[in-house]
Amino acid sequence: MGGYLTQDRAPILEALERMKRARLVPFDVPGHKRGRGNPELREFLGEKCLDVDVNSMKMLDNLCHPVSVIRDAEKLAAEAFGAAHAFFMVGGTTSAVQAMVLTAVGRGDKIIMPRNVHRSAINALILCGAVPVYVNPQMDHTLGISLGMRVEEVKDAIRRHPDAKAVLVNNPTYYGICSNLREIVRLAHEHGMMVLADEAHGTHFYFNDKLPVSAMAAGADMASISMHKSGGSLTQSSMLLCGPNVNAGYVHQVINITQTTSGSYLLLSSLDISRRNLALHGQEIFDKVIRLVEYARDEINAIGDYYAYSRELINGDSVYDFDTTKLSIFTRPTGLAGIEVYDLLRDEYDIQTEFGDIANLLAYVSVGDRPKDIERLVAALAEIRRNYRKDSSKMLKAEYIEPEVVYGPQEAFYAEKESLPIESTAGRVCSEFVMCYPPGIPILAPGERITDEILTYIRYARKKGCQMTGPEDMTIARLNVVK
């Protein structure tokens, strides 16, 4: 097949279709045997779905050691994304981020990263014992959002920690903010450091020339891609991309430490089909998304009080570029936190947005959205403003709280600990996570000192309805602290 690999092919899909035509009698797992053993599941998910929920076999290759159709699908993905190698990931972008970090650093190594990383990056440090060097993100004090990494601050971190092994960049952030990735890559490489990009929200950058530069085009060594977000594949399916100077064989060994040996062919085929769709039609798909979001922004900004922001935020540094497919909306002038608008949209208008924080709302617009859906969202936002608007003067402004890192994440997580009522923890060192999910950026991470300011923020976020996750005590009434 190798000589005939073109972007209109989908090797995993084709192999599954050949398997179905073979009418194999299954004496292997999964035990539902094409759904016959679980009629209720077959009724719910459908015959076509369960017919291809199969185990690895010779004709379908093996995700742990791909030598045929999965290898070919990964080759096509690497070509489509401009990477030297692509790995299909069935544990979500969490597994891709962790594989990047575990490849780049080991016990005691330093890694430069922004503090507003996804929890998966800090979890990787718990696993490998590396130590973070945080570049504290700039804040937009009006919007209350973290911005990108300033080049000067990355340069300063490299100067202070010349022995760091890698730099990790969020690009773009959940809100659409992009850093000067090319310059950060140049700086890091000049000092012998790898660059890892958490590109969970940037799949579309690879397929449209109106969008910010992609990590691979900027020269990053590795990038984690959430195909299931803007790429259209099934939830939990992602990719890990590698540049030419990365030992792909070693990366594969690292992936196999934590990734399942029973890769789902539903997820794998969705990656294969979605890659083909984006490679063939990505430019027009994301042209349409950009137009939809631009229209939505104009309509929302005409309502009053709301502010749907875009490229006007660009300042050439901490906001080097902006992802115009992101419909991020500042809600605080209405007197409502983003999470309150999020709850009202879901409970009163049957509209499910991506997330709300204490000042912003994110509506995720992608290939599957229609103009009439945008109209419904705009009408609901206008009605919420009319019916629920309040005085905004007493609302808490979102500020970046610079953490005091007392221990590395691994040391704190595995340290002897005690459980205290949360209100009694000020001054102690946290040994677990506290975060609002989504977006899954920790308010507290293992090894950081708990302060009155942080506790005030947690109380306020809970009161406004943010979904707090992380601690062992799921009621968030108690926290584990280092003894």
Side-chain angles (χ1 to χ4, degrees):
M1 186 189 280
Y4 302 96
L5 283 180
T6 52
Q7 289 296 330
D8 59 351
R9 297 289 301 277
I12 296 173
L13 170 67
E14 293 162 18
L16 286 166
E17 287 172 337
R18 285 194 297 273
M19 180 208 71
K20 285 174 74 173
R21 287 196 296 273
R23 301 180 68 184
L24 296 173
V25 178
F27 283 103
D28 61 351
V29 297
H32 62 67
K33 304 296 173 93
R34 314 298 193 262
R36 291 192 298 274
N38 195 337
E40 191 178 0
L41 185 65
R42 190 177 178 91
E43 176 68 25
F44 180 64
L45 291 181
E47 185 178 324
K48 285 187 175 180
C49 177
L50 289 186
D51 275 353
V52 293
D53 180 39
V54 291
N55 194 28
S56 296
M57 59 184 80
K58 193 166 185 182
M59 68 170 65
L60 295 181
D61 208 356
N62 189 306
L63 185 60
C64 293
H65 188 80
V67 294
S68 59
V69 294
I70 295 175
R71 178 201 60 193
D72 290 339
E74 289 182 337
K75 278 185 181 175
L76 286 172
E79 181 186 277
F81 282 88
H85 200 97
F87 294 96
F88 283 9
M89 308 295 293
V90 294
T93 306
T94 287
S95 63
V97 168
Q98 291 178 349
M100 286 197 309
V101 174
L102 295 174
T103 297
V105 289
R107 185 181 300 279
D109 289 340
K110 295 176 184 173
I111 178 169
I112 296 167
M113 58 170 63
R115 175 55 181 76
N116 60 322
V117 287
H118 188 265
R119 68 175 295 176
S120 58
I122 300 176
N123 278 338
L125 303 185
I126 291 172
L127 292 174
C128 72
V131 180
V133 173
Y134 288 129
V135 174
N136 293 318
Q138 300 291 304
M139 287 288 291
D140 183 302
H141 294 294
T142 302
L143 302 177
I145 61 171
S146 297
L147 304 178
M149 292 171 88
R150 291 181 62 236
V151 170
E152 277 306 313
E153 294 195 348
V154 176
K155 192 181 290 183
D156 182 57
I158 290 172
R159 182 186 56 75
R160 288 183 291 108
H161 301 275
D163 54 340
K165 295 287 178 68
V167 179
L168 187 146
V169 188
N170 293 333
N171 207 72
T173 68
Y174 226 137
Y175 303 96
I177 308 294
C178 296
S179 302
N180 186 348
L181 198 52
R182 278 198 172 99
E183 184 59 18
I184 290 170
V185 168
R186 188 193 67 76
L187 260 176
H189 285 176
E190 204 174 80
H191 291 83
M193 299 177 190
M194 293 180 75
V195 176
L196 319 177
D198 180 347
E199 215 169 17
H201 298 278
T203 302
H204 45 299
F205 288 5
Y206 290 85
F207 301 100
N208 191 284
D209 55 16
K210 299 179 183 68
L211 295 169
V213 67
S214 68
M216 288 293 107
D221 297 287
M222 302 176 80
S224 301
I225 303 291
S226 282
M227 277 290 278
H228 65 96
K229 290 188 169 76
S230 58
S233 66
L234 289 179
T235 294
Q236 204 176 304
S237 59
S238 296
M239 290 190 200
L240 177 57
L241 307 178
C242 297
N245 299 318
V246 175
N247 180 345
Y250 179 65
V251 175
H252 200 192
Q253 282 189 317
V254 170
I255 289 169
N256 281 342
I257 291 171
T258 57
Q259 178 146 278
T260 178
T261 54
S262 305
S264 164
Y265 280 88
L266 298 174
L267 301 182
L268 294 172
S269 60
S270 82
L271 285 170
D272 200 21
I273 294 164
S274 301
R275 180 272 313 153
R276 178 172 69 178
N277 186 38
L278 294 183
L280 299 179
H281 309 294
Q283 182 73 32
E284 63 201 75
I285 286 169
F286 295 116
D287 276 348
K288 175 193 165 192
V289 174
I290 290 166
R291 285 196 302 272
L292 267 179
V293 176
E294 282 174 350
Y295 170 72
R297 260 192 221 101
D298 289 343
E299 293 294 304
I300 290 164
N301 287 334
I303 294 170
D305 290 327
Y306 297 113
Y307 172 35
Y309 38 94
S310 185
R311 292 180 58 84
E312 70 277 1
L313 297 184
I314 291 173
N315 59 23
D317 193 7
S318 57
V319 188
Y320 186 77
D321 208 342
F322 188 84
D323 173 9
T324 51
T325 71
K326 289 286 185 294
L327 185 53
S328 304
I329 306 158
F330 180 53
T331 65
R332 201 153 53 83
T334 64
L336 297 167
I339 186 64
E340 291 175 304
V341 178
Y342 168 95
D343 285 340
L344 285 165
L345 284 168
R346 184 195 59 240
D347 297 342
E348 304 295 329
Y349 298 92
D350 297 324
I351 295 172
Q352 181 62 55
T353 51
E354 178 67 9
F355 81 92
D357 61 21
I358 67 172
N360 297 270
L361 176 79
L362 177 66
Y364 213 98
V365 182
S366 69
V367 56
D369 288 296
R370 304 164 295 182
K372 68 179 183 181
D373 300 324
I374 298 291
E375 298 287 0
R376 185 168 162 187
L377 173 65
V378 171
L381 287 171
E383 201 168 294
I384 286 169
R385 175 183 177 266
R386 189 165 63 247
N387 294 340
Y388 296 96
R389 191 173 185 275
K390 295 187 289 198
D391 175 18
S392 64
S393 63
K394 291 188 177 137
M395 295 184 73
L396 181 70
K397 280 197 173 186
E399 297 289 342
Y400 173 70
I401 303 171
E402 186 173 334
E404 182 192 343
V405 180
V406 182
Y407 304 115
Q410 186 185 65
E411 187 182 359
F413 186 80
Y414 289 110
E416 194 178 353
K417 60 196 77 168
E418 60 181 325
S419 172
L420 294 178
I422 191 167
E423 63 273 10
S424 305
T425 58
R428 301 296 294 271
V429 177
C430 196
S431 67
E432 55 188 353
F433 288 99
V434 182
M435 72 200 84
C436 297
Y437 190 86
I441 296 164
I443 301 166
L444 276 169
E448 295 177 0
R449 189 164 316 276
I450 303 163
T451 64
D452 287 326
E453 187 183 12
I454 289 168
L455 293 175
T456 298
Y457 185 94
I458 291 170
R459 278 193 296 270
Y460 184 83
R462 289 181 70 192
K463 181 182 167 190
K464 290 297 183 184
C466 288
Q467 185 181 343
M468 307 297 287
T469 68
E472 192 177 306
D473 174 17
M474 293 179 69
T475 66
I476 327 286
R478 302 180 74 85
L479 277 184
N480 286 341
V481 297
V482 177
K483 260 192 176 178

